[in-house]
């Protein structure tokens, strides 16, 4: 009996070099249509992970808020328009929102990796949401930088904040999949996305409409909007930067029996 394992690396989608030069094709309608199909296919496996992410965001938000104001629910009701928003409430809410966004970044990275896995044909499990913990320090730093820049941009001009959010939207996946440093990943994301700003803006408008609809339905529509958003990011990343996949071929056999072949594809991010 002898056993042999051969490993080959495959590359799916675009390349980093082409992304930086804008030498890649991107159709907003095709991205949205594929993301819809992926969300339908993986919905029940992906939903628990996105619920965990949303729950973590809310929990961190409320904890930070409770440290800053006497009654966190007063701020929450003010956000949804049932109470008058005071300057102190607004400041506390912004800080709590910043903290929840930054400190939930590892789970956000895990959900992003799950969306990327779907985009390249892999199934995921709810526990894969914790994959982002391996990059916790880097993604927290990156999310802090991005959130601070967005906040600064919003103070100058709301559209600038939106532009920065779109321009840096591939940063987390670049850290996890390409192993780039936070600032380097931000620069690469900015350069690549600004090359195709119009189709990417159209895609993010669709996401924004879904989130506005979620707000109108008291958050119920988030059960679809969150998985859809991460699947969109996965498709966009694949088309822009490409994904490396390791394919291991195992062969077993001896002189008296026929050999059997098995293939195993592994996406390590």
């Amino acid at each position: 009996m002898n056993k042999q394992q051969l490993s080959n690396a495959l590359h799916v989608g675009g390349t980093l070099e082409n992304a930086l030069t804008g030498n890649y094709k991107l159709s907003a309608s095709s991205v949205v249509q594929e993301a819809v199909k992926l969300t339908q296919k993986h919905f029940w496996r992906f939903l628990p992970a996105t619920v965990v992410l949303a729950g973590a965001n809310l929990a961190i938000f409320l904890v930070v808020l409770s440290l800053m104001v006497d009654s966190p629910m007063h701020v929450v009701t003010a956000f949804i328009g049932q109470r008058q928003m005071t300057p102190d409430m607004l400041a506390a809410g912004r800080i709590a929102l910043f903290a929840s966004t930054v400190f939930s970044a590892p789970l956000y990275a895990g959900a992003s990796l799950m969306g990327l896995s779907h985009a390249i044909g892999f199934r995921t499990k709810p526990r894969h949401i914790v994959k982002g913990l391996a990059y916790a320090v880097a993604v927290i730093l990156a999310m802090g930088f991005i959130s601070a820049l967005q906040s600064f941009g919003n103070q100058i001009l709301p559209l600038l904040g939106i532009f920065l959010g779109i321009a840096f939207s591939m940063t987390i996946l670049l850290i996890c999949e390409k192993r780039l440093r936070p600032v380097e990943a931000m620069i690469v994301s900015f350069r690549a996305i600004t090359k195709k700003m119009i189709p990417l803006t159209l895609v993010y408008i669709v996401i924004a409409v879904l989130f506005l609809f979620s707000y109108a339905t008291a958050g119920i529509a988030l059960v679809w909007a969150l998985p859809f958003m991460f699947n969109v990011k996965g498709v966009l990343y694949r088309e822009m930067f490409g994904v490396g996949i390791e394919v291991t071929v195992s062969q077993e056999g001896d002189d008296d029996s026929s050999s059997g072949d098995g293939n195993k594809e592994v996406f390590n991010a």
Side-chain angles (χ1 to χ4, degrees), residues 164-229:
L164 292 173
I166 296 174
F168 294 128
S169 60
M170 293 293 113
T171 300
I172 300 301
L173 279 173
L174 284 166
I175 290 172
C176 298
E177 200 274 326
K178 295 287 189 279
R179 308 295 199 269
L180 300 182
R181 297 187 183 94
V183 175
E184 184 182 9
M186 289 173 64
I187 293 171
V188 170
S189 177
F190 186 93
R191 288 180 58 189
I193 285 179
T194 51
K195 296 291 192 302
K196 301 284 184 181
M197 199 65 194
I198 292 177
L200 282 161
T201 300
L202 294 175
V203 171
Y204 280 98
I205 286 174
V206 174
I207 295 174
V209 169
L210 278 176
F211 275 83
L212 286 173
F213 182 68
S214 299
Y215 180 80
T217 59
I220 295 174
L222 280 176
V223 298
W224 175 269
L226 278 174
F228 173 77
M229 180 187 73

Side-chain angles (χ1 to χ4, degrees), residues 9-89:
L10 296 179
H11 191 84
V12 178
T15 65
L16 187 60
E17 293 75 16
N18 287 343
L20 289 173
T21 59
N23 188 24
Y24 63 93
K25 294 182 178 179
L26 199 63
S27 166
S29 59
S30 297
V31 170
V32 170
Q33 288 172 16
E34 183 176 354
V36 168
K37 292 178 182 178
L38 290 174
T39 305
Q40 291 172 336
K41 180 178 179 180
H42 300 283
F43 180 75
W44 292 111
R45 287 175 176 266
F46 202 7
L47 180 60
T50 54
V51 168
V52 168
L53 172 60
N57 263 285
L58 180 60
I60 296 170
F61 178 83
L62 292 176
V63 168
V64 175
L65 204 58
S66 67
L67 296 174
M68 302 185 66
V69 296
D70 294 332
S71 180
M73 290 311 299
H74 287 175
V75 181
V76 174
T77 54
F79 265 114
I80 60 178
Q82 295 182 357
R83 182 185 296 270
Q84 184 177 0
M85 178 71 75
T86 66
D88 288 344
M89 285 182 179

Side-chain angles (χ1 to χ4, degrees), residues 84-141:
Q84 184 177 0
M85 178 71 75
T86 66
D88 288 344
M89 285 182 179
L90 185 60
R94 284 175 175 171
I95 293 172
L97 184 61
F98 177 84
S100 66
T101 301
V102 171
F103 291 112
S104 65
L107 295 180
Y108 181 92
S112 299
L113 287 170
M114 292 175 74
L116 182 57
S117 294
H118 300 157
I120 59 175
F122 286 82
R123 292 183 180 274
T124 59
K125 297 180 180 180
R127 59 183 172 83
H128 291 162
I129 188 71
V130 300
K131 277 192 170 185
L133 294 175
Y135 314 95
V137 174
V139 297
I140 286 174
L141 286 173

